[in-house]
Amino acid sequence: MSRILKKIKESIRRYTYLISIKKYPVKVLSLEDTVSRIIDEKLSVSRIGDGEFRWMMMDDPGDTFEKNSKSLSENLIDVVKSRNGKLLICLPDVYDGLDKYKPEVKVFWNREISKELKKYYHYLDRNYDYGNSFFSRPYISYKNQDSSNIFRLIKNIWNERDILIVEGSKTRFGIGNDLLSSANNINRILVPAVNAYSELESIYEAIEEYVKEKEDSKELLVLLAIGPTATILAKRITELNNIQAIDIGHLDIEYEWFLRGSLDKELIPGKYVNESKSSKFVDLEIKDETYINQIWKDISK
């Protein structure tokens, strides 16, 4: 009986999902079109996912790396309503069918959209072409896990560019793999691994300090891997500093999973994996001199 009830519930969720996306239409670009626009137009990116919507609505986001606050909510709402031509707001590609995703991913988004899209829609614009936030998650959720082409395209974003990475102290974006191998020069600002938003102003001040020291800062690319703080800072850096800034999210972890052929969200030794069902972090001392020399400032302590 429980199996029958489960199937009935899943059928109801699928039906309510289809009703929801028809009643509340959202336009989201493909992965390839999103990345192409980022490259061709040198667009900054702020990504909004289910976690950001929960922070916006002051709902309990569960066991995450960021505390809820009214200030965080207000700043995220400001981002999602922004219409700066140099900033692409990105949403998950879940509003026009879910067949491309794994069964457990389909179940999650069927439930999420059925229950929450009406609330989300208060903040959304049916006439805006949103970018695809899954450009930073192009592997683990998909049934077809041959993601080599999209990763190859993504690497062109920083091809022969100077990069400033702003990341949690345990993120270590691009370390131990070739994700950033085409970049010219890489520097890093390390920030708290959890609750980075509490240091929002200090993080922005460090970025500004770096920008002022750099001779040709207009050609700089800032990659932000610090949760919803990245979403907010991408907008601020674009508007106040006229610099391309990308909320890059979990891309490095997705690339690690892709290289390993992972079937689920496994731990990556030496890197923080907030979505791991077990421990979030397995410490591994980083002795890589290249990485150590890239650290321009550490404000994580």
Side-chain angles (χ1 to χ4, degrees):
M1 181 61 73
S2 60
R3 188 178 300 174
I4 294 172
L5 285 174
K6 185 177 180 181
K7 287 186 176 181
I8 291 172
K9 285 182 179 180
E10 288 176 358
S11 296
I12 291 171
R13 285 196 184 111
R14 282 196 295 271
Y15 176 74
T16 53
Y17 165 83
L18 293 171
I19 295 297
S20 295
I21 63 172
K22 185 175 182 180
K23 187 174 182 180
Y24 305 107
V26 181
K27 293 185 288 184
V28 177
L29 300 172
S30 69
L31 291 175
E32 292 78 10
D33 287 347
T34 298
V35 178
S36 294
R37 283 198 63 193
I38 292 169
I39 295 168
D40 296 342
E41 301 174 44
K42 284 194 173 180
L43 294 179
S44 293
V45 172
S46 288
R47 296 176 310 110
I48 303 289
D50 59 297
E52 282 74 22
F53 278 116
R54 280 177 167 74
W55 281 307
M56 274 186 225
M57 298 184 291
M58 298 290 290
D59 287 346
D60 180 6
D63 180 22
T64 71
F65 48 87
E66 193 65 65
K67 293 178 182 175
N68 234 330
S69 73
K70 184 177 180 182
S71 174
L72 176 59
S73 170
E74 290 173 347
N75 270 311
L76 287 171
I77 291 170
D78 183 55
V79 170
V80 79
K81 292 190 173 183
S82 172
R83 290 298 174 267
N84 184 322
K86 297 302 291 182
L87 177 68
L88 182 63
I89 308 300
C90 292
L91 299 178
D93 181 17
V94 293
Y95 304 101
D96 188 30
L98 301 169
D99 288 344
K100 62 176 78 73
Y101 302 113
K102 292 178 179 178
E104 65 272 21
V105 178
K106 289 175 66 174
V107 168
F108 173 82
W109 284 110
N110 264 319
R111 182 177 64 245
E112 184 73 13
I113 298 304
S114 299
K115 289 176 60 180
E116 306 292 347
L117 182 55
K118 183 178 180 180
K119 299 177 189 175
Y120 292 177
Y121 216 67
H122 177 70
Y123 306 104
L124 300 180
D125 179 355
R126 67 189 299 160
N127 297 313
Y128 183 79
D129 291 332
Y130 291 96
N132 190 333
S133 67
F134 287 166
F135 85 90
S136 71
R137 295 171 172 266
Y139 171 73
I140 201 69
S141 295
Y142 290 85
K143 287 191 293 189
N144 178 3
Q145 296 194 308
D146 182 9
S147 305
S148 53
N149 288 337
I150 190 64
F151 277 118
R152 193 178 300 118
L153 183 61
I154 289 167
K155 290 177 182 179
N156 288 325
I157 295 173
W158 43 78
N159 186 47
E160 298 184 352
R161 301 276 303 271
D162 288 348
I163 300 174
L164 174 64
I165 300 173
V166 185
E167 62 179 353
S169 58
K170 299 176 181 178
T171 300
R172 297 159 182 173
F173 192 97
I175 297 301
N177 59 52
D178 66 347
L179 184 60
L180 301 176
S181 61
S182 65
N184 266 346
N185 184 58
I186 301 170
N187 284 298
R188 299 171 188 266
I189 296 173
L190 305 188
V191 308
V194 296
N195 297 320
Y197 183 75
S198 63
E199 298 297 327
L200 176 69
E201 298 307 324
S202 297
I203 297 168
Y204 179 66
E205 287 170 10
I207 295 168
E208 277 210 310
E209 184 182 348
Y210 179 87
V211 168
K212 287 175 182 176
E213 287 189 9
K214 190 167 178 60
E215 291 182 3
D216 191 15
S217 62
K218 298 304 178 188
E219 293 304 310
L220 178 68
L221 172 63
V222 180
L223 298 180
L224 301 144
I226 41 175
T229 308
T231 307
I232 293 160
L233 282 173
K235 175 179 180 290
R236 186 185 292 194
I237 293 165
T238 304
E239 292 180 346
L240 300 185
N241 305 96
N242 195 28
I243 289 172
Q244 186 182 16
I246 297 176
D247 168 12
I248 201 68
H250 298 80
L251 182 68
D252 177 63
I253 296 299
E254 289 271 333
Y255 192 55
E256 291 279 7
W257 289 331
F258 165 70
L259 293 175
R260 287 165 166 77
S262 301
L263 298 178
D264 53 24
K265 298 175 179 180
E266 65 178 272
L267 282 171
I268 306 297
K271 297 189 177 187
Y272 190 85
V273 183
N274 75 287
E275 293 183 339
S276 170
K277 293 179 181 178
S278 56
S279 173
K280 308 294 184 188
F281 183 71
V282 175
D283 201 3
L284 183 69
E285 185 180 357
I286 300 296
K287 298 179 180 179
D288 186 328
E289 287 296 322
T290 301
Y291 167 72
I292 293 169
N293 292 332
Q294 288 173 352
I295 300 172
W296 181 79
K297 178 167 282 194
D298 185 350
I299 57 173
S300 64
K301 301 177 179 64

